[in-house]
């Protein structure tokens, strides 16, 4: 037997493939992250129609609700993406705990961004935020005065609560941090890194993170300051 | 110059360790290891157990030495092993914390010495090429693109010290793995086993209890040989391709 054969023994010889490896899981996280990033971008662009007035926004919401097949197709796709993204993240976090059982007495970061080191924190908080966000503006249980279909009105009354607005703003800052690392990292995970393109990806990641934070945070801020009423 | 050192002291693999404080004198021309040699001379004279640390060539090419100084693998100077780190980069009165590489894959043997044989098992799994022995082939008979040979040489700089694993918050060996895979995979001699190499070395790293890469770049920042994150992408590419296109070998009996 060659040394190569001895590395793959027993169960791993049959099963150690794509999903079983950290690289495969990271590729899944990259692909699902890409889809989720596409969604938050589209979601923000749709939401910014709030500045065009209640008629525009409510008509857009109704248009999305009209094509049930498309709506549920998108919802199911997003749900699968979130499930895969979270499952891989949990499994990799558990692997991390196993791989570094004893922490350093003193640890200094030598070359990584704060955003990249806090992905395991920004991720779960964002997940909690998504649940709250759905209960707040989609199903209404977390909303003080929810009316189905009256999107503009629900947004305005929802963001008049300071704690809710604050949570949105904090969550969006975390989304920005998550994407600041995530948007370029997804290319690295699937094997794309080149001195010509990677710096562009990193700049693009910073730009898109800033645009998404700015666009989304502007809405609760506009409500709180009375710009939108 | 006077230094205060906090050093991880651990009797053996099975006993728990702790940080112990030492005061020592050093001059700026000493290497970091020579500073520890002087400390050890003093400890021996006092009848105490000297601090154990790995070292061999002391010229930055063997990969034996290495520990974490104030939270940074191989200390504060970039692209430098601890043996090549000189005391002129520190100040009088500095307080330094010295710890071994911490990873499940690298159990502590004693003090600052860890067992890195997990790396050997990864190499045994795929870090080689098969060549026919006997008379050597004419080197010029096999053309290699200059840019490929340069990149292969960059990857071949890896001395297997383990600083990447030590610095990685996930204790991932990806930088080491990718350096070895790229070094061989960029050259024509490494092609026949390229896909199996990716599968087998990644599997061996997993069995060796190394963590997952999250692309944060701590490894690249501490690597004494300047191995780049780009090589990890190259490994990911090879592994994903190999995993997707893998065919199980069928052995027919009779």
């Amino acid at each position: 037997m060659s040394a190569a054969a001895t590395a793959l023994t027993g169960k791993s010889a049959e099963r150690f493939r794509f999903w079983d490896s950290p690289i495969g899981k990271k590729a899944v996280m990259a692909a699902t992250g890409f889809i989720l990033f596409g969604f938050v971008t589209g979601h923000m662009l749709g939401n910014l129609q709030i500045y065009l007035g209640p008629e525009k926004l409510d008509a857009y919401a109704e248009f999305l609700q009209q094509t049930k097949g498309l709506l549920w197709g998108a919802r199911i796709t997003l749900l699968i993406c979130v499930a895969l993204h979270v499952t891989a993240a949990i499994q990799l976090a558990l692997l991390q705990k196993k791989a570094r059982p004893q922490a350093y007495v003193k640890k200094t970061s030598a070359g990584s961004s704060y955003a990249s080191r806090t992905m395991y924190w920004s991720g779960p908080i964002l997940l909690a935020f998504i649940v709250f966000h759905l209960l707040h503006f989609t199903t209404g249980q977390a909303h003080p005065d929810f009316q189905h279909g009256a999107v503009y009105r629900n947004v305005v009354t929802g963001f008049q609560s300071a704690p809710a607005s604050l949570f949105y703003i904090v969550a969006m800052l975390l989304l920005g941090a998550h994407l600041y690392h995530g948007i370029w990292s997804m290319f690295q995970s699937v094997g794309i890194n080149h001195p010509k393109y990677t710096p562009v990806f990193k700049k693009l990641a910073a730009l898109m993170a800033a645009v998404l934070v700015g666009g989304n945070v502007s809405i609760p801020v506009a409500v709180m300051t009375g710009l939108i009423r | 110059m006077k230094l205060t050192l906090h050093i991880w002291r651990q009797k053996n693999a099975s006993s728990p360790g702790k940080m112990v404080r030492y005061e020592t004198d050093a001059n700026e021309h000493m290497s970091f290891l020579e500073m520890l040699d002087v400390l050890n001379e003093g400890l021996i004279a006092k009848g105490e157990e000297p601090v154990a640390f790995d070292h061999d060539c002391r010229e930055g090419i063997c990969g034996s030495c290495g520990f974490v100084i104030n939270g940074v693998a191989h200390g504060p100077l970039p692209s430098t092993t601890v043996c090549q780190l000189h005391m002129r980069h520190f100040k009088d009165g500095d307080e330094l914390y010295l710890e071994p590489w911490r990873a499940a894959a690298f159990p502590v043997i004693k003090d600052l010495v860890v067992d890195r044989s997990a790396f050997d098992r990864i190499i045994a799994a795929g870090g080689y090429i098969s060549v026919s022995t006997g008379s050597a082939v004419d080197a010029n008979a096999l053309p290699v693109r200059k840019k490929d040979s340069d990149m292969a040489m960059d990857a071949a700089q890896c001395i297997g010290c383990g600083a990447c694993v030590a610095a990685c918050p996930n204790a991932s060996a990806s930088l080491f793995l990718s350096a070895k895979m790229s070094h061989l995979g960029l050259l024509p001699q490494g092609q026949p086993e390229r896909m199996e190499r990716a599968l087998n070395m990644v599997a061996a790293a997993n069995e060796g209890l190394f963590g997952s890469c999250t692309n944060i770049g701590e490894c690249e920042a501490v690597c004494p040989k300047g191995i780049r994150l780009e090589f990890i992408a190259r490994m990911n590419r090879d592994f994903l391709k190999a995993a997707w296109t893998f065919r199980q070998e069928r052995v027919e009996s009779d």
Side-chain angles (χ1 to χ4, degrees):
Chain A
M1 286 289 257
S2 70
T6 56
L8 288 173
T9 50
K11 180 191 122 191
S12 54
E14 295 295 324
R15 287 206 38 230
F16 193 81
R17 290 292 166 258
F18 189 74
W19 178 256
D20 292 304
S21 72
I23 297 176
K25 285 190 215 294
K26 282 292 283 179
V28 169
M29 289 189 80
T32 53
F34 181 74
I35 295 169
L36 294 169
F37 160 62
F39 169 73
V40 290
T41 308
H43 191 38
M44 180 197 69
L45 291 174
N47 289 349
L48 287 177
Q49 294 179 62
I50 195 162
Y51 294 112
L52 302 176
E55 299 78 26
K56 275 273 187 211
L57 187 69
D58 289 0
Y60 171 67
E62 208 185 309
F63 158 75
L64 290 182
Q65 292 285 340
Q66 268 167 4
T67 39
K68 289 286 175 210
L70 219 61
L71 178 72
W72 279 100
R75 282 176 173 174
I76 289 165
T77 308
L78 291 172
L79 207 62
I80 292 170
C81 285
V82 169
L84 287 171
H85 201 79
V86 170
T87 307
I90 291 171
Q91 291 182 349
L92 293 177
L94 292 175
L95 181 65
Q96 188 259 345
K97 290 272 166 284
K98 250 181 15 192
R100 166 78 37 79
Q102 184 163 21
Y104 286 98
V105 174
K106 193 166 177 159
K107 184 82 181 84
T108 316
S109 68
S112 58
S113 67
Y114 181 76
S116 72
R117 292 193 305 274
T118 51
M119 294 296 270
Y120 283 136
W121 290 102
S122 54
I125 298 170
L126 281 172
L127 184 64
F129 166 76
I130 293 167
V131 173
F132 171 72
H133 181 48
L134 290 174
L135 292 172
H136 195 212
F137 283 147
T138 307
T139 59
Q141 282 87 347
H143 195 284
D145 180 25
F146 189 76
Q147 284 182 16
H148 267 286
V151 176
Y152 186 91
R153 195 192 146 279
N154 287 340
V155 170
V156 172
T157 51
F159 282 147
Q160 271 161 358
S161 146
S165 281
L166 194 70
F167 184 38
Y168 269 80
I169 292 168
V170 171
M172 286 307 105
L173 291 172
L174 287 173
L175 176 70
H178 205 74
L179 292 178
Y180 176 77
H181 177 68
I183 294 173
W184 88 264
S185 174
M186 58 178 127
F187 292 100
Q188 170 81 7
S189 291
V190 295
I192 303 168
N193 184 325
H194 191 284
K196 205 156 96 189
Y197 303 110
T198 301
V200 179
F201 294 152
K202 287 190 176 178
K203 281 196 193 113
L204 200 73
L207 178 73
M208 283 312 295
V211 166
L212 281 162
V213 172
N216 283 331
V217 164
S218 78
I219 299 171
V221 168
V223 172
M224 297 294 282
T225 53
L227 209 70
I228 293 174
R229 58 183 90 211
Chain B
M1 63 201 292
K2 293 216 179 297
L3 295 169
T4 305
L5 304 173
H6 299 267
I7 305 178
W8 183 261
R9 299 305 307 264
Q10 184 171 337
K11 199 162 180 283
N12 53 46
S14 51
S15 62
K18 63 171 193 298
M19 299 299 281
V20 178
R21 190 168 185 275
Y22 296 95
E23 306 273 345
T24 192
D25 262 321
N27 74 54
E28 60 180 13
H29 306 296
M30 289 174 170
S31 75
F32 205 91
L33 297 187
E34 284 162 350
M35 181 274 290
L36 288 181
D37 289 337
V38 170
L39 172 77
N40 279 343
E41 293 290 335
L43 290 177
I44 292 165
K46 279 194 284 184
E48 287 178 36
E49 185 79 11
V51 177
F53 58 88
D54 248 331
H55 63 103
D56 191 12
C57 76
R58 296 208 179 194
E59 48 190 27
I61 54 171
C62 75
S64 292
C65 70
F67 42 81
V68 174
I69 304 169
N70 278 356
V72 179
H74 286 302
L77 208 62
S79 302
T80 311
T81 54
V82 281
C83 64
Q84 288 293 296
L85 175 65
H86 287 81
M87 297 315 293
R88 58 177 171 270
H89 300 292
F90 296 90
K91 296 192 307 289
D92 183 48
D94 269 356
E95 197 162 356
L96 305 174
Y97 287 76
L98 312 188
E99 295 177 70
W101 296 163
R102 294 198 192 277
F106 292 162
V108 173
I109 297 170
K110 188 180 167 73
D111 299 340
L112 302 175
V113 182
V114 296
D115 177 0
R116 283 170 290 190
S117 47
F119 268 9
D120 298 338
R121 288 188 286 277
I122 290 173
I123 292 296
Y128 56 83
I129 55 162
S130 298
V131 286
S132 306
T133 52
S135 57
V137 185
D138 174 21
N140 293 329
L142 195 59
V144 179
R145 192 169 158 250
K146 176 74 165 71
K147 283 188 174 146
D148 287 342
S149 76
D150 284 352
M151 254 182 101
M153 281 302 286
D154 286 351
Q157 294 276 309
C158 173
I159 50 176
C161 64
C164 46
V165 177
C168 177
N170 306 300
S172 167
S174 291
L175 198 68
F176 168 77
L177 283 169
S178 69
K180 299 303 168 191
M181 276 183 218
S182 303
H183 155 206
L184 301 172
L186 278 157
L187 297 174
Q189 293 89 339
Q191 297 313 309
E193 286 138 331
R194 185 168 169 184
M195 293 297 120
E196 280 70 24
R197 178 180 305 119
L199 290 173
N200 292 339
M201 288 180 80
V202 171
N206 231 42
E207 285 178 8
L209 276 182
F210 291 101
S212 151
C213 177
T214 51
N215 310 333
I216 78 162
E218 281 291 314
C219 52
E220 184 181 53
V222 301
C223 178
K225 296 296 156 185
I227 308 293
R228 301 185 298 275
L229 232 48
E230 190 183 344
F231 291 121
I232 298 184
R234 181 168 274 282
M235 163 178 81
N236 291 347
R237 217 147 69 210
D238 275 6
F239 177 84
L240 292 172
K241 186 178 172 196
W244 276 117
T245 57
F246 182 79
R247 290 171 196 239
Q248 194 73 48
E249 262 177 66
R250 301 218 170 270
V251 183
E252 305 287 335
S253 52
D254 293 336

